[in-house]
mmCIF file of all heavy atoms in Angstrom:
data_model
loop_
_atom_site.group_PDB
_atom_site.id
_atom_site.type_symbol
_atom_site.label_atom_id
_atom_site.label_comp_id
_atom_site.label_asym_id
_atom_site.label_seq_id
_atom_site.Cartn_x
_atom_site.Cartn_y
_atom_site.Cartn_z
ATOM 1 N N MET A 1 -11.023 23.747 -9.788
ATOM 2 C CA MET A 1 -11.143 23.543 -8.332
ATOM 3 C C MET A 1 -11.247 24.902 -7.651
ATOM 4 O O MET A 1 -10.314 25.668 -7.639
ATOM 5 C CB MET A 1 -9.927 22.788 -7.813
ATOM 6 C CG MET A 1 -10.000 22.498 -6.315
ATOM 7 S SD MET A 1 -11.309 21.353 -5.855
ATOM 8 C CE MET A 1 -10.678 19.804 -6.559
ATOM 9 N N SER A 2 -12.402 25.242 -7.139
ATOM 10 C CA SER A 2 -12.585 26.508 -6.453
ATOM 11 C C SER A 2 -12.210 26.337 -4.980
ATOM 12 O O SER A 2 -12.134 25.220 -4.453
ATOM 13 C CB SER A 2 -14.022 26.980 -6.541
ATOM 14 O OG SER A 2 -14.875 26.154 -5.790
ATOM 15 N N ASP A 3 -12.009 27.452 -4.321
ATOM 16 C CA ASP A 3 -11.585 27.398 -2.942
ATOM 17 C C ASP A 3 -12.625 26.750 -2.045
ATOM 18 O O ASP A 3 -12.299 26.189 -1.011
ATOM 19 C CB ASP A 3 -11.284 28.811 -2.444
ATOM 20 C CG ASP A 3 -10.316 28.791 -1.265
ATOM 21 O OD1 ASP A 3 -9.265 28.182 -1.394
ATOM 22 O OD2 ASP A 3 -10.635 29.392 -0.229
ATOM 23 N N SER A 4 -13.892 26.806 -2.434
ATOM 24 C CA SER A 4 -14.940 26.242 -1.578
ATOM 25 C C SER A 4 -14.876 24.754 -1.586
ATOM 26 O O SER A 4 -15.533 24.105 -0.768
ATOM 27 C CB SER A 4 -16.306 26.729 -2.092
ATOM 28 O OG SER A 4 -16.522 26.321 -3.408
ATOM 29 N N ASP A 5 -14.131 24.167 -2.495
ATOM 30 C CA ASP A 5 -14.003 22.730 -2.514
ATOM 31 C C ASP A 5 -12.965 22.243 -1.506
ATOM 32 O O ASP A 5 -12.840 21.040 -1.271
ATOM 33 C CB ASP A 5 -13.580 22.249 -3.909
ATOM 34 C CG ASP A 5 -14.696 22.489 -4.908
ATOM 35 O OD1 ASP A 5 -15.877 22.295 -4.522
ATOM 36 O OD2 ASP A 5 -14.392 22.825 -6.060
ATOM 37 N N LYS A 6 -12.233 23.183 -0.928
ATOM 38 C CA LYS A 6 -11.198 22.807 0.015
ATOM 39 C C LYS A 6 -11.784 22.692 1.438
ATOM 40 O O LYS A 6 -12.791 23.305 1.746
ATOM 41 C CB LYS A 6 -10.049 23.812 -0.021
ATOM 42 C CG LYS A 6 -9.381 23.835 -1.377
ATOM 43 C CD LYS A 6 -8.224 24.828 -1.351
ATOM 44 C CE LYS A 6 -7.539 24.872 -2.702
ATOM 45 N NZ LYS A 6 -6.456 25.837 -2.705
ATOM 46 N N VAL A 7 -11.075 21.960 2.236
ATOM 47 C CA VAL A 7 -11.498 21.802 3.621
ATOM 48 C C VAL A 7 -10.404 22.327 4.528
ATOM 49 O O VAL A 7 -9.195 22.290 4.170
ATOM 50 C CB VAL A 7 -11.801 20.325 3.960
ATOM 51 C CG1 VAL A 7 -12.992 19.828 3.157
ATOM 52 C CG2 VAL A 7 -10.597 19.473 3.720
ATOM 53 N N LYS A 8 -10.780 22.779 5.693
ATOM 54 C CA LYS A 8 -9.777 23.280 6.611
ATOM 55 C C LYS A 8 -9.011 22.113 7.211
ATOM 56 O O LYS A 8 -9.607 21.084 7.511
ATOM 57 C CB LYS A 8 -10.447 24.083 7.730
ATOM 58 C CG LYS A 8 -9.441 24.771 8.627
ATOM 59 C CD LYS A 8 -10.100 25.312 9.893
ATOM 60 C CE LYS A 8 -9.012 25.702 10.873
ATOM 61 N NZ LYS A 8 -8.269 24.501 11.368
ATOM 62 N N CYS A 9 -7.721 22.328 7.383
ATOM 63 C CA CYS A 9 -6.917 21.334 8.074
ATOM 64 C C CYS A 9 -7.499 21.059 9.435
ATOM 65 O O CYS A 9 -7.928 21.974 10.126
ATOM 66 C CB CYS A 9 -5.476 21.860 8.182
ATOM 67 S SG CYS A 9 -4.386 20.810 9.120
ATOM 68 N N ALA A 10 -7.493 19.805 9.815
ATOM 69 C CA ALA A 10 -8.121 19.403 11.088
ATOM 70 C C ALA A 10 -7.334 19.829 12.309
ATOM 71 O O ALA A 10 -7.790 19.748 13.436
ATOM 72 C CB ALA A 10 -8.332 17.901 11.123
ATOM 73 N N CYS A 11 -6.098 20.313 12.096
ATOM 74 C CA CYS A 11 -5.314 20.842 13.218
ATOM 75 C C CYS A 11 -5.993 22.118 13.727
ATOM 76 O O CYS A 11 -6.268 23.007 12.955
ATOM 77 C CB CYS A 11 -3.903 21.132 12.724
ATOM 78 S SG CYS A 11 -2.868 21.972 13.938
ATOM 79 N N PRO A 12 -6.281 22.170 15.027
ATOM 80 C CA PRO A 12 -7.052 23.303 15.541
ATOM 81 C C PRO A 12 -6.438 24.669 15.297
ATOM 82 O O PRO A 12 -7.149 25.647 15.095
ATOM 83 C CB PRO A 12 -7.143 23.009 17.048
ATOM 84 C CG PRO A 12 -6.786 21.592 17.232
ATOM 85 C CD PRO A 12 -5.925 21.210 16.078
ATOM 86 N N ASP A 13 -5.114 24.767 15.365
ATOM 87 C CA ASP A 13 -4.450 26.036 15.232
ATOM 88 C C ASP A 13 -4.085 26.366 13.798
ATOM 89 O O ASP A 13 -3.595 27.445 13.513
ATOM 90 C CB ASP A 13 -3.179 26.044 16.066
ATOM 91 C CG ASP A 13 -3.491 25.917 17.562
ATOM 92 O OD1 ASP A 13 -4.557 26.413 17.953
ATOM 93 O OD2 ASP A 13 -2.669 25.389 18.301
ATOM 94 N N CYS A 14 -4.320 25.465 12.913
ATOM 95 C CA CYS A 14 -3.891 25.635 11.542
ATOM 96 C C CYS A 14 -4.940 26.383 10.733
ATOM 97 O O CYS A 14 -6.131 26.083 10.834
ATOM 98 C CB CYS A 14 -3.626 24.255 10.934
ATOM 99 S SG CYS A 14 -2.882 24.335 9.284
ATOM 100 N N VAL A 15 -4.484 27.325 9.953
ATOM 101 C CA VAL A 15 -5.414 28.093 9.126
ATOM 102 C C VAL A 15 -5.404 27.624 7.676
ATOM 103 O O VAL A 15 -6.057 28.199 6.834
ATOM 104 C CB VAL A 15 -5.060 29.594 9.169
ATOM 105 C CG1 VAL A 15 -5.170 30.118 10.604
ATOM 106 C CG2 VAL A 15 -3.677 29.852 8.626
ATOM 107 N N CYS A 16 -4.665 26.591 7.395
ATOM 108 C CA CYS A 16 -4.514 26.149 6.020
ATOM 109 C C CYS A 16 -5.786 25.432 5.551
ATOM 110 O O CYS A 16 -6.512 24.826 6.329
ATOM 111 C CB CYS A 16 -3.338 25.176 5.914
ATOM 112 S SG CYS A 16 -1.793 25.908 6.390
ATOM 113 N N ARG A 17 -6.017 25.535 4.256
ATOM 114 C CA ARG A 17 -7.101 24.832 3.628
ATOM 115 C C ARG A 17 -6.502 23.920 2.572
ATOM 116 O O ARG A 17 -5.567 24.276 1.886
ATOM 117 C CB ARG A 17 -8.103 25.788 3.004
ATOM 118 C CG ARG A 17 -8.734 26.701 4.012
ATOM 119 C CD ARG A 17 -9.597 27.741 3.386
ATOM 120 N NE ARG A 17 -10.803 27.167 2.770
ATOM 121 C CZ ARG A 17 -11.899 26.842 3.440
ATOM 122 N NH1 ARG A 17 -11.961 27.104 4.734
ATOM 123 N NH2 ARG A 17 -12.944 26.321 2.858
ATOM 124 N N VAL A 18 -7.014 22.739 2.494
ATOM 125 C CA VAL A 18 -6.434 21.731 1.596
ATOM 126 C C VAL A 18 -7.490 21.101 0.724
ATOM 127 O O VAL A 18 -8.639 20.972 1.090
ATOM 128 C CB VAL A 18 -5.716 20.626 2.398
ATOM 129 C CG1 VAL A 18 -4.461 21.151 3.038
ATOM 130 C CG2 VAL A 18 -6.650 20.027 3.438
ATOM 131 N N ASN A 19 -7.056 20.711 -0.473
ATOM 132 C CA ASN A 19 -7.881 19.933 -1.366
ATOM 133 C C ASN A 19 -8.067 18.564 -0.731
ATOM 134 O O ASN A 19 -7.073 17.898 -0.407
ATOM 135 C CB ASN A 19 -7.147 19.808 -2.692
ATOM 136 C CG ASN A 19 -7.960 19.031 -3.730
ATOM 137 O OD1 ASN A 19 -8.768 18.168 -3.379
ATOM 138 N ND2 ASN A 19 -7.763 19.362 -4.981
ATOM 139 N N PRO A 20 -9.297 18.144 -0.527
ATOM 140 C CA PRO A 20 -9.527 16.818 0.109
ATOM 141 C C PRO A 20 -8.794 15.676 -0.587
ATOM 142 O O PRO A 20 -8.410 14.702 0.051
ATOM 143 C CB PRO A 20 -11.031 16.628 -0.002
ATOM 144 C CG PRO A 20 -11.594 18.007 -0.102
ATOM 145 C CD PRO A 20 -10.568 18.797 -0.838
ATOM 146 N N ASN A 21 -8.610 15.819 -1.874
ATOM 147 C CA ASN A 21 -7.944 14.764 -2.596
ATOM 148 C C ASN A 21 -6.431 14.734 -2.348
ATOM 149 O O ASN A 21 -5.756 13.742 -2.608
ATOM 150 C CB ASN A 21 -8.173 14.932 -4.130
ATOM 151 C CG ASN A 21 -9.627 14.747 -4.482
ATOM 152 O OD1 ASN A 21 -10.313 13.929 -3.891
ATOM 153 N ND2 ASN A 21 -10.109 15.525 -5.435
ATOM 154 N N GLU A 22 -5.910 15.865 -1.843
ATOM 155 C CA GLU A 22 -4.474 15.968 -1.574
ATOM 156 C C GLU A 22 -4.150 15.952 -0.094
ATOM 157 O O GLU A 22 -2.999 15.891 0.297
ATOM 158 C CB GLU A 22 -3.934 17.222 -2.222
ATOM 159 C CG GLU A 22 -4.093 17.265 -3.731
ATOM 160 C CD GLU A 22 -3.687 18.567 -4.344
ATOM 161 O OE1 GLU A 22 -3.470 19.554 -3.572
ATOM 162 O OE2 GLU A 22 -3.594 18.669 -5.577
ATOM 163 N N ALA A 23 -5.179 16.044 0.712
ATOM 164 C CA ALA A 23 -4.967 16.121 2.165
ATOM 165 C C ALA A 23 -4.445 14.791 2.682
ATOM 166 O O ALA A 23 -4.675 13.743 2.104
ATOM 167 C CB ALA A 23 -6.254 16.475 2.857
ATOM 168 N N ILE A 24 -3.704 14.895 3.761
ATOM 169 C CA ILE A 24 -3.271 13.678 4.444
ATOM 170 C C ILE A 24 -4.346 13.245 5.414
ATOM 171 O O ILE A 24 -4.724 14.007 6.313
ATOM 172 C CB ILE A 24 -1.935 13.959 5.193
ATOM 173 C CG1 ILE A 24 -0.839 14.236 4.168
ATOM 174 C CG2 ILE A 24 -1.570 12.789 6.076
ATOM 175 C CD1 ILE A 24 0.475 14.602 4.769
ATOM 176 N N GLN A 25 -4.888 12.088 5.201
ATOM 177 C CA GLN A 25 -5.969 11.613 6.063
ATOM 178 C C GLN A 25 -5.375 10.880 7.260
ATOM 179 O O GLN A 25 -4.559 9.999 7.151
ATOM 180 C CB GLN A 25 -6.863 10.645 5.267
ATOM 181 C CG GLN A 25 -7.545 11.331 4.063
ATOM 182 C CD GLN A 25 -8.651 12.263 4.470
ATOM 183 O OE1 GLN A 25 -9.195 12.182 5.558
ATOM 184 N NE2 GLN A 25 -8.983 13.199 3.567
ATOM 185 N N ARG A 26 -5.858 11.287 8.442
ATOM 186 C CA ARG A 26 -5.403 10.650 9.642
ATOM 187 C C ARG A 26 -6.619 10.534 10.568
ATOM 188 O O ARG A 26 -7.216 11.552 10.893
ATOM 189 C CB ARG A 26 -4.304 11.482 10.312
ATOM 190 C CG ARG A 26 -3.599 10.809 11.457
ATOM 191 C CD ARG A 26 -2.768 9.590 11.015
ATOM 192 N NE ARG A 26 -1.810 9.874 9.963
ATOM 193 C CZ ARG A 26 -0.548 10.244 10.138
ATOM 194 N NH1 ARG A 26 -0.083 10.420 11.360
ATOM 195 N NH2 ARG A 26 0.229 10.453 9.105
ATOM 196 N N ASP A 27 -6.972 9.343 10.925
ATOM 197 C CA ASP A 27 -8.161 9.110 11.755
ATOM 198 C C ASP A 27 -9.409 9.694 11.120
ATOM 199 O O ASP A 27 -10.284 10.212 11.781
ATOM 200 C CB ASP A 27 -7.969 9.697 13.156
ATOM 201 C CG ASP A 27 -6.867 9.012 13.921
ATOM 202 O OD1 ASP A 27 -6.685 7.791 13.687
ATOM 203 O OD2 ASP A 27 -6.189 9.642 14.738
ATOM 204 N N GLY A 28 -9.434 9.655 9.784
ATOM 205 C CA GLY A 28 -10.619 10.099 9.055
ATOM 206 C C GLY A 28 -10.735 11.588 8.909
ATOM 207 O O GLY A 28 -11.769 12.101 8.462
ATOM 208 N N ARG A 29 -9.692 12.317 9.302
ATOM 209 C CA ARG A 29 -9.750 13.770 9.204
ATOM 210 C C ARG A 29 -8.636 14.265 8.285
ATOM 211 O O ARG A 29 -7.529 13.667 8.265
ATOM 212 C CB ARG A 29 -9.605 14.431 10.579
ATOM 213 C CG ARG A 29 -10.756 14.009 11.512
ATOM 214 C CD ARG A 29 -10.900 14.910 12.690
ATOM 215 N NE ARG A 29 -9.746 14.791 13.590
ATOM 216 C CZ ARG A 29 -9.535 15.561 14.632
ATOM 217 N NH1 ARG A 29 -10.396 16.499 14.923
ATOM 218 N NH2 ARG A 29 -8.474 15.413 15.386
ATOM 219 N N PRO A 30 -8.881 15.326 7.564
ATOM 220 C CA PRO A 30 -7.906 15.849 6.615
ATOM 221 C C PRO A 30 -6.912 16.812 7.243
ATOM 222 O O PRO A 30 -7.277 17.708 7.994
ATOM 223 C CB PRO A 30 -8.795 16.564 5.582
ATOM 224 C CG PRO A 30 -9.929 17.073 6.378
ATOM 225 C CD PRO A 30 -10.140 16.096 7.529
ATOM 226 N N TYR A 31 -5.638 16.610 6.915
ATOM 227 C CA TYR A 31 -4.595 17.506 7.380
ATOM 228 C C TYR A 31 -3.818 18.043 6.200
ATOM 229 O O TYR A 31 -3.671 17.383 5.178
ATOM 230 C CB TYR A 31 -3.673 16.795 8.352
ATOM 231 C CG TYR A 31 -4.308 16.417 9.654
ATOM 232 C CD1 TYR A 31 -4.957 15.208 9.775
ATOM 233 C CD2 TYR A 31 -4.263 17.276 10.739
ATOM 234 C CE1 TYR A 31 -5.571 14.850 10.978
ATOM 235 C CE2 TYR A 31 -4.864 16.916 11.954
ATOM 236 C CZ TYR A 31 -5.505 15.738 12.053
ATOM 237 O OH TYR A 31 -6.106 15.360 13.248
ATOM 238 N N CYS A 32 -3.205 19.228 6.402
ATOM 239 C CA CYS A 32 -2.499 19.854 5.298
ATOM 240 C C CYS A 32 -1.122 19.256 5.128
ATOM 241 O O CYS A 32 -0.499 19.403 4.079
ATOM 242 C CB CYS A 32 -2.381 21.358 5.531
ATOM 243 S SG CYS A 32 -1.247 21.822 6.850
ATOM 244 N N GLY A 33 -0.592 18.591 6.146
ATOM 245 C CA GLY A 33 0.736 18.042 6.021
ATOM 246 C C GLY A 33 1.045 17.059 7.126
ATOM 247 O O GLY A 33 0.254 16.894 8.059
ATOM 248 N N GLU A 34 2.201 16.448 7.041
ATOM 249 C CA GLU A 34 2.604 15.456 8.031
ATOM 250 C C GLU A 34 2.690 16.025 9.431
ATOM 251 O O GLU A 34 2.311 15.391 10.422
ATOM 252 C CB GLU A 34 3.943 14.833 7.641
ATOM 253 C CG GLU A 34 3.888 13.940 6.412
ATOM 254 C CD GLU A 34 3.234 12.609 6.738
ATOM 255 O OE1 GLU A 34 3.002 12.304 7.893
ATOM 256 O OE2 GLU A 34 2.932 11.861 5.753
ATOM 257 N N ALA A 35 3.189 17.275 9.540
ATOM 258 C CA ALA A 35 3.379 17.858 10.871
ATOM 259 C C ALA A 35 2.031 17.958 11.575
ATOM 260 O O ALA A 35 1.936 17.617 12.765
ATOM 261 C CB ALA A 35 4.019 19.241 10.728
ATOM 262 N N CYS A 36 1.018 18.447 10.883
ATOM 263 C CA CYS A 36 -0.284 18.555 11.492
ATOM 264 C C CYS A 36 -0.860 17.190 11.770
ATOM 265 O O CYS A 36 -1.465 16.945 12.810
ATOM 266 C CB CYS A 36 -1.223 19.366 10.585
ATOM 267 S SG CYS A 36 -0.849 21.117 10.521
ATOM 268 N N ALA A 37 -0.722 16.287 10.820
ATOM 269 C CA ALA A 37 -1.293 14.963 10.959
ATOM 270 C C ALA A 37 -0.704 14.240 12.166
ATOM 271 O O ALA A 37 -1.364 13.430 12.813
ATOM 272 C CB ALA A 37 -1.049 14.141 9.693
ATOM 273 N N ASN A 38 0.564 14.574 12.471
ATOM 274 C CA ASN A 38 1.216 13.927 13.613
ATOM 275 C C ASN A 38 1.022 14.695 14.893
ATOM 276 O O ASN A 38 1.640 14.401 15.907
ATOM 277 C CB ASN A 38 2.730 13.822 13.312
ATOM 278 C CG ASN A 38 3.019 12.834 12.211
ATOM 279 O OD1 ASN A 38 2.257 11.901 11.990
ATOM 280 N ND2 ASN A 38 4.115 13.049 11.493
ATOM 281 N N GLY A 39 0.155 15.724 14.850
ATOM 282 C CA GLY A 39 -0.130 16.477 16.071
ATOM 283 C C GLY A 39 1.061 17.299 16.508
ATOM 284 O O GLY A 39 1.208 17.633 17.669
ATOM 285 N N HIS A 40 1.953 17.633 15.578
ATOM 286 C CA HIS A 40 3.151 18.439 15.877
ATOM 287 C C HIS A 40 3.954 17.785 17.004
ATOM 288 O O HIS A 40 4.434 18.484 17.910
ATOM 289 C CB HIS A 40 2.752 19.883 16.192
ATOM 290 C CG HIS A 40 2.026 20.544 15.064
ATOM 291 N ND1 HIS A 40 2.687 21.049 13.965
ATOM 292 C CD2 HIS A 40 0.731 20.793 14.857
ATOM 293 C CE1 HIS A 40 1.792 21.584 13.121
ATOM 294 N NE2 HIS A 40 0.604 21.421 13.643
ATOM 295 N N SER A 41 4.067 16.518 16.922
ATOM 296 C CA SER A 41 4.770 15.777 17.986
ATOM 297 C C SER A 41 6.247 16.179 18.049
ATOM 298 O O SER A 41 6.893 15.979 19.079
ATOM 299 C CB SER A 41 4.648 14.269 17.718
ATOM 300 O OG SER A 41 5.135 13.935 16.432
ATOM 301 N N GLU A 42 6.761 16.713 16.968
ATOM 302 C CA GLU A 42 8.183 17.112 16.964
ATOM 303 C C GLU A 42 8.321 18.620 17.143
ATOM 304 O O GLU A 42 9.433 19.170 17.052
ATOM 305 C CB GLU A 42 8.856 16.664 15.672
ATOM 306 C CG GLU A 42 8.926 15.161 15.575
ATOM 307 C CD GLU A 42 9.388 14.688 14.188
ATOM 308 O OE1 GLU A 42 9.858 15.530 13.406
ATOM 309 O OE2 GLU A 42 9.264 13.508 13.915
ATOM 310 N N GLY A 43 7.182 19.310 17.369
ATOM 311 C CA GLY A 43 7.222 20.732 17.623
ATOM 312 C C GLY A 43 7.436 21.594 16.411
ATOM 313 O O GLY A 43 7.624 22.793 16.529
ATOM 314 N N ASN A 44 7.353 21.018 15.248
ATOM 315 C CA ASN A 44 7.512 21.762 14.034
ATOM 316 C C ASN A 44 6.166 22.239 13.489
ATOM 317 O O ASN A 44 5.160 21.559 13.657
ATOM 318 C CB ASN A 44 8.239 20.955 12.966
ATOM 319 C CG ASN A 44 7.622 19.597 12.761
ATOM 320 O OD1 ASN A 44 6.857 19.133 13.622
ATOM 321 N ND2 ASN A 44 7.926 18.971 11.664
ATOM 322 N N GLY A 45 6.145 23.400 12.862
ATOM 323 C CA GLY A 45 4.945 23.882 12.245
ATOM 324 C C GLY A 45 4.690 23.224 10.926
ATOM 325 O O GLY A 45 5.521 22.464 10.444
ATOM 326 N N CYS A 46 3.569 23.553 10.339
ATOM 327 C CA CYS A 46 3.245 22.935 9.050
ATOM 328 C C CYS A 46 4.088 23.495 7.942
ATOM 329 O O CYS A 46 4.216 22.925 6.870
ATOM 330 C CB CYS A 46 1.770 23.100 8.743
ATOM 331 S SG CYS A 46 1.264 24.736 8.262
ATOM 332 N N GLY A 47 4.646 24.693 8.181
ATOM 333 C CA GLY A 47 5.560 25.278 7.201
ATOM 334 C C GLY A 47 4.886 26.060 6.137
ATOM 335 O O GLY A 47 5.565 26.571 5.228
ATOM 336 N N HIS A 48 3.584 26.248 6.219
ATOM 337 C CA HIS A 48 2.897 27.019 5.198
ATOM 338 C C HIS A 48 2.888 28.496 5.555
ATOM 339 O O HIS A 48 2.871 28.854 6.756
ATOM 340 C CB HIS A 48 1.448 26.484 5.050
ATOM 341 C CG HIS A 48 1.392 25.112 4.476
ATOM 342 N ND1 HIS A 48 0.878 24.058 5.179
ATOM 343 C CD2 HIS A 48 1.798 24.638 3.276
ATOM 344 C CE1 HIS A 48 0.964 22.972 4.403
ATOM 345 N NE2 HIS A 48 1.518 23.267 3.266
ATOM 346 N N LYS A 49 2.871 29.311 4.560
ATOM 347 C CA LYS A 49 2.905 30.764 4.757
ATOM 348 C C LYS A 49 1.717 31.234 5.589
ATOM 349 O O LYS A 49 0.602 30.734 5.420
ATOM 350 C CB LYS A 49 2.879 31.489 3.418
ATOM 351 C CG LYS A 49 4.269 31.830 2.914
ATOM 352 C CD LYS A 49 4.164 32.634 1.621
ATOM 353 C CE LYS A 49 5.603 32.924 1.126
ATOM 354 N NZ LYS A 49 5.620 33.382 -0.242
ATOM 355 N N ASN A 50 1.957 32.188 6.453
ATOM 356 C CA ASN A 50 0.893 32.826 7.227
ATOM 357 C C ASN A 50 0.224 31.866 8.221
ATOM 358 O O ASN A 50 -0.848 32.139 8.701
ATOM 359 C CB ASN A 50 -0.173 33.427 6.326
ATOM 360 C CG ASN A 50 0.406 34.448 5.357
ATOM 361 O OD1 ASN A 50 1.302 35.217 5.733
ATOM 362 N ND2 ASN A 50 -0.080 34.488 4.161
ATOM 363 N N CYS A 51 0.872 30.755 8.488
ATOM 364 C CA CYS A 51 0.289 29.814 9.438
ATOM 365 C C CYS A 51 1.295 29.607 10.566
ATOM 366 O O CYS A 51 2.426 29.199 10.283
ATOM 367 C CB CYS A 51 -0.050 28.506 8.749
ATOM 368 S SG CYS A 51 -0.865 27.347 9.892
ATOM 369 N N GLY A 52 0.872 29.821 11.784
ATOM 370 C CA GLY A 52 1.799 29.683 12.905
ATOM 371 C C GLY A 52 1.484 28.475 13.772
ATOM 372 O O GLY A 52 1.880 28.432 14.937
ATOM 373 N N CYS A 53 0.817 27.531 13.211
ATOM 374 C CA CYS A 53 0.389 26.399 14.025
ATOM 375 C C CYS A 53 1.590 25.557 14.450
ATOM 376 O O CYS A 53 2.520 25.315 13.672
ATOM 377 C CB CYS A 53 -0.640 25.550 13.294
ATOM 378 S SG CYS A 53 0.002 24.474 12.021
ATOM 379 N N HIS A 54 1.543 25.114 15.663
ATOM 380 C CA HIS A 54 2.551 24.170 16.171
ATOM 381 C C HIS A 54 1.801 23.115 17.004
ATOM 382 O O HIS A 54 2.371 22.589 17.939
ATOM 383 C CB HIS A 54 3.591 24.886 17.041
ATOM 384 C CG HIS A 54 4.480 25.783 16.242
ATOM 385 N ND1 HIS A 54 5.583 25.314 15.567
ATOM 386 C CD2 HIS A 54 4.408 27.094 16.011
ATOM 387 C CE1 HIS A 54 6.184 26.329 14.961
ATOM 388 N NE2 HIS A 54 5.480 27.408 15.216
ATOM 389 N N GLY A 55 0.555 22.874 16.671
ATOM 390 C CA GLY A 55 -0.221 21.946 17.428
ATOM 391 C C GLY A 55 -0.854 22.622 18.629
ATOM 392 O O GLY A 55 -1.255 22.015 19.551
HETATM 393 ZN ZN1 ZN B 1 -0.887 25.243 8.854
HETATM 394 ZN ZN1 ZN B 2 -2.380 22.023 8.977
HETATM 395 ZN ZN1 ZN B 3 -1.010 22.293 12.466
#
């Protein structure tokens, strides 16, 4: 699996890239984790290194 096979998390502020097969699908878009998929409704970041997204 090369990096080009990954897709960017659909969260606008998120810099994470995820394997489409492992991404969390929400409304047909891939997210790197529950926090992003939920639109950071609880104000938590995705928790991945070097990523400061909070929605
Ligand atoms: Zn992220
Ligand atoms: Zn994300
Ligand atoms: Zn995010």
Side-chain angles (χ1 to χ4, degrees):
M1 182 67 70
S2 69
D3 203 52
S4 60
D5 292 322
K6 297 182 180 179
V7 295
K8 187 192 168 294
C9 175
C11 173
D13 295 330
C14 187
V15 299
C16 300
R17 298 174 69 82
V18 289
N19 182 332
N21 295 325
E22 297 174 350
I24 294 176
Q25 299 286 339
R26 190 66 54 90
D27 295 329
R29 299 196 293 173
Y31 293 88
C32 71
E34 290 285 350
C36 288
N38 292 332
H40 299 282
S41 57
E42 294 170 13
N44 52 342
C46 73
H48 294 116
K49 265 184 182 165
N50 302 322
C51 183
C53 77
H54 290 276

